[in-house]
Amino acid sequence: MSTTHTPRLRIWDLPTRLFHWLLAASIIALVVTAKVGGNAMEWHLRLGHVVLALLLFRVIWGFAGGYWSRFTTFIPSPARLVRYLQGQGTAADKAGHNPLGALSVMAMLLILAGQVGTGLVSDDEIAFAGSLVRFVSGDTIAWATSWHKSWGQWLVYAMVGLHIAAIVGYSVFRREKLVPAMLHGDKPCLPQDLPASRDGWGAVLPAAFFAAACAVMAYWVWTRATSF
């Protein structure tokens, strides 16, 4: 691999960055509304559908997005993971998500998907009923409600805490600042033969189309609560 380095390389395209920060804001708002309860639960329900749309978008973008946002790029093979753990990581491992970071991202997405899914079929019989409760059995509703309010939320807290700890750890001990790259999209001092993620209108236009489609799908799920 070439040792010539570029000043900056586009790693995270704009749609990926917007997804990241919208998801972070939504998770914070979901936690707040859940703790407040009462009328805030109506917003909790709405925000759950926002996260549903975001997760649907991320799945699509994992196949159609910029190079470093694609699942085929950052989900590590067992060999790559072992090599990284042995301290033999490559420049590509440092460009996007490193193998451990990729696993934590996938775990976060799966846990959030589980939390959204159980939320859609939860019913606390007080102020909250998911959009799809009328399509499942009472036993399923009871199990989903219990999971959503206990193990599900604690798994989300654990993954968010792990995510923040990793960011701080890389900044303090490895001098790798991960947050700026998720703001402006670029990482410095990477080999010039690494591919850059496609960005600009070539990424924004298809992303806007996919995002709109995901929003429509999430809205359709929301309307199941009142349709007959």
Side-chain angles (χ1 to χ4, degrees):
M1 179 173 288
S2 171
T3 57
T4 303
H5 289 66
T6 55
R8 287 186 179 275
L9 184 71
R10 179 53 48 95
I11 298 296
W12 305 122
D13 53 59
L14 180 60
T16 299
R17 303 193 316 266
L18 289 176
F19 161 81
H20 179 275
W21 295 113
L22 286 172
L23 184 64
S26 297
I27 291 173
I28 293 171
L30 279 166
V31 171
V32 171
T33 52
K35 296 305 180 184
V36 172
N39 293 334
M41 291 304 295
E42 181 62 31
W43 280 103
H44 188 81
L45 181 64
R46 294 170 183 169
L47 288 163
H49 289 83
V50 170
V51 173
L52 172 61
L54 288 171
L55 293 176
L56 290 172
F57 171 81
R58 188 62 185 91
V59 171
I60 295 173
W61 206 239
F63 297 97
Y67 180 84
W68 299 101
S69 299
R70 298 175 196 164
F71 296 138
T72 53
T73 300
F74 74 80
I75 297 180
S77 65
R80 181 185 169 200
L81 179 60
V82 169
R83 185 182 67 234
Y84 181 80
L85 292 175
Q86 291 176 339
Q88 300 173 4
T90 65
D93 291 331
K94 299 179 180 179
H97 294 302
N98 66 54
L100 287 180
L103 292 180
S104 70
V105 168
M106 294 305 300
M108 173 73 81
L109 294 177
L110 289 172
I111 289 170
L112 289 175
Q115 196 66 348
V116 169
T118 54
L120 291 174
V121 293
S122 292
D123 187 351
D124 67 0
E125 299 181 347
I126 300 174
F128 179 90
S131 300
L132 304 181
V133 291
R134 67 192 186 90
F135 297 103
V136 298
S137 67
D139 289 341
T140 299
I141 292 172
W143 175 85
T145 303
S146 176
W147 176 271
H148 191 80
K149 295 171 65 176
S150 57
W151 283 103
Q153 70 167 329
W154 287 110
L155 283 174
V156 172
Y157 296 157
M159 289 307 303
V160 170
L162 180 63
H163 187 69
I164 294 173
I167 292 173
V168 173
Y170 272 85
S171 177
V172 173
F173 299 108
R174 295 196 176 186
R175 305 301 181 189
E176 294 183 31
K177 299 187 182 299
L178 304 180
V179 173
M182 195 54 76
L183 290 171
H184 51 62
D186 299 333
K187 283 191 175 181
C189 302
L190 292 172
Q192 64 180 5
D193 55 357
L194 289 178
S197 284
R198 180 186 60 176
D199 212 345
W201 290 112
V204 171
L205 290 179
F209 172 80
F210 294 139
C214 293
V216 169
M217 187 173 296
Y219 180 77
W220 180 83
V221 172
W222 187 10
T223 61
R224 296 309 91 192
T226 56
S227 63
F228 297 93

